[in-house]
Structure formats: C-alpha cells, structure tokens
Amino acid sequence: MLVLRLLNVVAPAYFLCISLVTFVLQIFLFIPSMFRDPSTTPLFSPALLHGALFLFLSANALGNYVLVIQSSPEDLGKDLNLGKGAEVADWLDGSRSPGSALPSTHFCRLCARVTQRHDHHCFFTGNCIGSRNMRNFIMFCLYTSLACLDSLVAGMAYISATLSMSFVDPLAFLTLLPHSISQFFSGALLSSEMFVILMLYLWLGIGLACAGFCCHQMLLILRGQTRYQVRKGMVVRARPWRENLQEVFGKRWLLGLLIPVLNVESDYHRQKEK
C-alpha cells in the first residue's frame, strides 16, 4: 500500500517533467531548426504550422489533464444509504450493501472514497476515473498520444538533418539507439543529440501506450462497461451504443474535441439537484 501511495505522487511528477522537457525541445530546438528553408514564405512556413499544431495538441492534453483532476469523483459514501450497520469498508471487495442505490460503485483504497461508475485509479493524475471525468480522461489520452507522435516526427526530422541520416529504411530507426550509444561513448555524438534520441523512443512508447489505452477505453464505452466491471465479471444491461457514447461524451462532444471542457454531469448529480 505504501508503494502505491508513493507511485501516486511520483507518477504525476514524472508526467509533468516529461511534458516540460518535450515543450522545451519543441520550442527551442525542433521548431527553430525548421526555419532553415528560405524558399517557404513566413506565413505558411513548416515551422509556424508545426508550432501551431504542437501548441494545439499540448493545450488540449494539459487542459484535459487539469480537468481530470478538478472533476474528481465525489465521495458517495456520505450521501448513499449503505444499509444498517454497513461501513465504507464493506465496499472494499466491490460488494454493495442492500441499501445502496447506485450500481457500478467502488471504494478506492488510495482515494478513501466511494465513486460512481468507477473505472480505475489513474496514477498519472493521482485520481480515480469515474462518471464525472471519463470524457476528459479519454481526451487527455488522445491528445497526449498525438502530442508524443508529433514530437517523435519533429525529433526524427531534427536528427535526420543534424546527423545527415535518412529514415526511409524502417530498420534505420530500430538500429538508431545501439549505433548512437556506441558513437556517444566514442565521442562522436554530442550529449544533447543523444538525449534527443533517447526522447524519441520515450515519445514512441508513451504515444503507442496512450493510443492503445484510448482505443481500449472507447471499446468499453461502446459496450457500456467499465474496466472495474470487466475485472469483476459484472453483467451490465445492454443498451444501444449511441446511448453509451452520449452518457460519457454528452451532447457537446464536438466542442470537447476542439477545446478542453468539463465533462457532462452524472445522473446522480442531476437527481441530487432535483
């Protein structure tokens, strides 16, 4: 349990550190290196277009990251009727007391609260993912993946121009790291160039991981399931996939694709306000 709590603190700091390094490399290294082509006009130069795209992806990723943390699933244990003699600890194994009103609720040991439609606990945000912040979490994974892949392409272009090498052959990227390590220790490669090469593989790993996680999460949403329900083998009521999507993304789904916006309020919130 102590290791999980430590990971809950270290993982967000690691993500913010990677984001800061990526932003610095893009703004001060990759984008300035694209201004070397004098034949392009300043208005439509690759540097400005790439810079605008990177800022758009980064703003959406960071904005949804903040909204995931701000839209924290509230503690339902204070409002739900847990039943006579029932305690919050009764929710540790995922079981519900007879008096509980909402399905798909779970007690998180790290957050110490009962959340509605609990999906999983995200260590990179230090928060539980539930009905209130699921859409922002999906958008966060999507734009993080796109930002990493964008940085990967820009980094490969920078390395290609700096080291005068071509990535036309797919094996060139796979053999880049071992060749770079040997050149670095022989003194033929600068430390800054070696650092960029290491970041290329880190961006590739994070980008593919976030893309795969986003696709898996979307598949669960279409089925109307959560990761917690799948893990526990819970049976869910079959509904049309359009209703499942609207429950998570709401009617403002197109706006959420362009700018970070708050998630649609849960059914529990609506009932509570009434």
Side-chain angles (χ1 to χ4, degrees):
M1 191 62 181
L2 180 61
V3 176
L4 294 179
R5 293 187 180 276
L6 181 61
L7 181 62
N8 202 42
V9 176
V10 174
Y14 172 78
F15 170 78
L16 294 177
C17 181
I18 294 298
S19 301
L20 180 61
V21 171
T22 302
F23 183 82
V24 171
L25 289 177
Q26 283 271 18
I27 299 299
F28 297 101
L29 191 63
F30 298 160
I31 295 179
S33 65
M34 299 178 184
F35 280 103
R36 297 177 179 177
D37 187 5
S39 62
T40 58
T41 58
L43 182 60
F44 299 102
S45 64
L48 293 180
L49 295 178
H50 173 76
L53 176 61
F54 174 73
L55 291 178
F56 171 76
L57 298 177
S58 301
N60 275 275
L62 183 59
N64 283 285
Y65 180 82
V66 173
L67 291 179
V68 169
I69 300 176
Q70 287 185 347
S71 304
S72 175
E74 64 180 349
D75 189 358
L76 301 182
K78 299 178 181 179
D79 302 300
L80 291 180
N81 179 19
L82 298 181
K84 185 177 180 180
E87 300 291 342
V88 175
D90 297 335
W91 297 67
L92 289 175
D93 58 351
S95 61
R96 296 188 293 110
S97 58
S100 61
L102 295 176
S104 306
T105 50
H106 173 64
F107 178 80
C108 179
R109 295 175 181 268
L110 295 176
C111 297
R113 59 191 173 191
V114 181
T115 58
Q116 180 186 6
R117 286 195 63 82
H118 175 87
D119 189 85
H120 69 284
H121 183 90
C122 177
F123 290 98
F124 286 98
T125 60
N127 199 9
C128 276
I129 306 302
S131 59
R132 295 186 62 187
N133 54 7
M134 175 57 74
R135 181 177 68 176
N136 297 124
F137 179 75
I138 294 293
M139 292 295 101
F140 161 68
C141 291
L142 174 62
Y143 280 105
T144 299
S145 174
L146 294 177
C148 288
L149 296 179
D150 175 82
S151 300
L152 173 64
V153 173
M156 292 176 62
Y158 173 79
I159 291 298
S160 177
T162 304
L163 302 182
S164 299
M165 62 178 303
S166 174
F167 289 99
V168 176
D169 186 5
L171 295 178
F173 183 80
L174 298 178
T175 58
L176 176 62
L177 183 60
H179 289 169
S180 300
I181 293 177
S182 60
Q183 292 179 2
F184 175 75
F185 285 105
S186 63
L189 194 66
L190 299 177
S191 57
S192 59
E193 297 171 346
M194 185 64 198
F195 180 75
V196 172
I197 293 175
L198 293 177
M199 290 298 299
L200 293 181
Y201 290 90
L202 183 61
W203 287 325
L204 177 63
I206 296 177
L208 293 180
C210 289
F213 192 89
C214 184
C215 294
H216 175 69
Q217 202 71 38
M218 284 298 301
L219 180 61
L220 293 178
I221 292 175
L222 291 174
R223 294 176 178 176
Q225 293 179 308
T226 63
R227 293 181 61 189
Y228 177 76
Q229 291 173 336
V230 174
R231 188 169 65 251
K232 293 295 183 179
M234 297 180 180
V235 180
V236 297
R237 180 172 60 90
R239 295 189 309 175
W241 62 270
R242 293 180 182 272
E243 294 184 8
N244 296 329
L245 283 178
Q246 186 173 356
E247 182 182 7
V248 174
F249 293 94
K251 297 180 179 180
R252 298 179 299 171
W253 62 271
L254 183 58
L255 182 63
L257 289 177
L258 301 178
I259 59 175
V261 293
L262 288 175
N263 199 355
V264 63
E265 294 184 349
S266 63
D267 294 334
Y268 172 74
H269 260 280
R270 296 170 183 173
Q271 296 175 2
K272 185 178 178 182
E273 291 177 356
K274 292 180 181 180

